């Protein structure tokens, strides 16, 4: 890290954040002694140490893990504010969401610093880049990670078709060059099957399932199974027995529904955002630049949203 200009102090903060993420994984919940629909933390010493790492208070860390603040708007003005207790499933989801958020922001920060270190010193009209692409993955058990990787491969295959096969053969026609036409499968239909909003593709169905049953992963997976029936119109898609199959250009891949929506969730609760921005740790504050004063009602982007945006930006850059 020193080679790319990350200072010793910044390296210490990176390790501190990683320690906090690992310790969040040690937080366990049991039903509250007064109400089974509420949860409580089994070992307060763990949250106390997490508070030390995040430079916050043990009370606040415990609060954001077992409850959620809900505000009811009233005529465009601030309404009543309630602390709603979380059950065990909801508390585990909140714990995982906080750990994922810190890890995600830290990863993006490191990537940003790497890009800064590699940035050209002067203006350049052309650039040479190295595209390290994923290999197409077909395992015995395929999940959300394989779906995202194979989706990106589909997008890159689409570029290859457009730039190499389709464009070259169209040029042969214009130039009246004799050649043997090459038959190829235009995989745009597969890309649309995964990323389209209308009719809803796999990612859209997944996002809807996360929004309607976000607290219970099993309920969200069941909701996803129901919503994926909208994709059955495509001959490149099949849904059965808790799995679905996509006919990719490289072969048929069967994906497990179990755990799919939980991996797609990338939602940061406002309580978690306030925890991180209210920390005494300036590095942690830097990772969360959002303005708390803004009352945004837009659904935060999910993991599939982000991979889709990233893939399309890559395609746009490669097509230039």
């Amino acid at each position: 890290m020193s080679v790319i200009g990350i200072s010793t102090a910044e390296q210490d903060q990176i390790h501190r954040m990683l320690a906090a993420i690992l310790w969040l994984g040690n937080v366990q919940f049991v039903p509250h002694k007064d109400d089974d629909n509420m949860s409580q933390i089994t070992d307060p010493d763990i949250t106390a140490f997490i508070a030390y790492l995040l430079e916050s208070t043990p009370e606040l860390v415990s609060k954001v893990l077992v409850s959620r603040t809900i505000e009811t708007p009233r005529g465009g003005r601030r309404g009543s504010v309630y602390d709603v207790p979380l059950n065990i499933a909801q508390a585990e989801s909140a714990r995982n969401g906080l750990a994922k958020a810190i890890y995600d922001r830290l990863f993006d920060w490191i990537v940003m610093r790497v890009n800064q270190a590699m940035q050209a010193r002067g203006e350049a009209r052309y650039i040479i880049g190295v595209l390290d692409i994923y290999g197409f993955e077909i395992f015995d058990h395929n999940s959300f990670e394989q779906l995202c990787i194979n989706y990106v491969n589909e997008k890159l295959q689409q570029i290859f078709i457009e730039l190499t096969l389709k464009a070259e053969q169209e040029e042969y026609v214009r130039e009246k060059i004799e050649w043997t036409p090459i038959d190829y499968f235009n995989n745009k239909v597969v890309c649309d099957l995964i990323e389209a909003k209308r009719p809803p593709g796999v990612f859209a169905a997944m996002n809807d399932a996360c929004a309607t049953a976000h607290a219970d992963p099993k309920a969200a997976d069941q909701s996803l199974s129901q919503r994926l029936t909208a994709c059955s119109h495509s001959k490149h898609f099949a849904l059965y027995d808790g799995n679905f199959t996509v006919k990719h250009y490289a072969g048929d891949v069967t994906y497990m529904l179990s755990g799919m929506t939980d991996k797609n969730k990338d939602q940061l609760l406002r309580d978690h955002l306030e925890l991180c921005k209210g920390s005494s740790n300036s590095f942690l504050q830097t990772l969360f630049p959002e303005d708390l004063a803004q009352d945004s009602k837009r659904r935060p982007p999910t993991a599939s949203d982000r991979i889709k945006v990233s893939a399309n930006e890559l395609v746009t850059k490669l097509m230039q």
Side-chain angles (χ1 to χ4, degrees), residues 33-261:
K33 60 181 180 179
D34 298 327
D35 189 343
D36 288 345
N37 291 320
M38 300 167 57
S39 61
Q40 64 183 38
I41 297 168
T42 58
D43 189 350
D45 290 341
I46 294 178
T47 49
F49 189 64
I50 294 171
Y52 160 73
L53 293 171
L54 298 179
E55 296 187 40
S56 182
T57 65
E59 294 77 16
L60 184 56
V61 172
S62 298
K63 179 177 180 293
V64 302
L65 292 177
V66 297
S67 67
R68 179 180 181 181
T69 302
I70 301 292
E71 180 179 336
T72 56
R74 182 177 300 170
R77 298 175 298 172
R78 288 192 58 137
S80 302
V81 178
Y82 303 94
D83 285 333
V84 179
L86 304 177
N87 59 34
I88 291 179
Q90 293 169 332
E92 289 175 345
S93 179
R95 174 201 62 196
N96 296 345
L98 177 59
K100 287 167 64 176
I102 297 173
Y103 182 89
D104 175 69
R105 301 301 179 90
L106 181 61
F107 183 88
D108 286 347
W109 185 89
I110 294 174
V111 170
M112 179 266 294
R113 292 298 298 269
V114 171
N115 287 336
Q116 286 180 352
M118 299 179 65
Q119 199 168 25
R121 298 296 181 265
E123 293 186 6
R125 184 176 178 184
Y126 301 103
I127 62 172
I128 297 176
V130 177
L131 178 59
D132 183 11
I133 65 173
Y134 309 105
F136 195 88
E137 293 190 351
I138 307 177
F139 299 137
D140 292 336
H141 302 286
N142 303 287
S143 188
F144 180 73
E145 298 86 352
Q146 284 68 49
L147 178 62
C148 291
I149 289 171
N150 295 341
Y151 160 68
V152 174
N153 272 275
E154 289 284 358
K155 298 292 287 186
L156 296 176
Q157 175 70 8
Q158 194 175 8
I159 295 179
F160 175 76
I161 291 171
E162 288 290 332
L163 297 184
T164 305
L165 298 177
K166 187 172 181 290
E168 285 294 324
Q169 294 193 82
E170 288 175 351
E171 183 177 355
Y172 286 179
V173 172
R174 291 193 301 269
E175 298 289 337
K176 297 181 179 180
I177 299 174
E178 292 185 6
W179 91 106
T180 301
I182 301 173
D183 293 329
Y184 59 87
F185 166 61
N186 189 340
N187 70 328
K188 183 179 184 302
V189 291
V190 181
C191 294
D192 290 343
L193 169 66
I194 298 173
E195 69 179 2
K197 291 184 177 180
R198 296 288 186 277
V202 176
F203 283 164
M206 202 178 303
N207 288 344
D208 288 343
C210 288
T212 57
H214 60 275
D216 187 346
K218 292 183 179 179
D221 288 340
Q222 186 175 5
S223 175
L224 173 60
S225 179
Q226 296 171 352
R227 293 173 187 277
L228 283 176
T229 56
C231 299
S232 299
H233 67 278
S234 173
K235 64 180 181 180
H236 301 284
F237 179 87
L239 176 66
Y240 54 90
D241 296 335
N243 301 306
F244 66 91
T245 297
V246 176
K247 296 181 180 294
H248 293 280
Y249 78 92
D252 296 358
V253 181
T254 298
Y255 300 96
M256 299 183 303
L257 280 172
S258 178
M260 185 78 72
T261 53

Side-chain angles (χ1 to χ4, degrees), residues 271-281 284-293:
D271 294 340
H272 296 168
L273 182 59
E274 291 178 346
L275 169 69
C276 296
K277 291 190 70 68
S279 165
S280 301
N281 187 303
L284 181 58
Q285 293 177 14
T286 303
L287 299 181
F288 294 86
E290 291 89 342
D291 185 2
L292 283 172

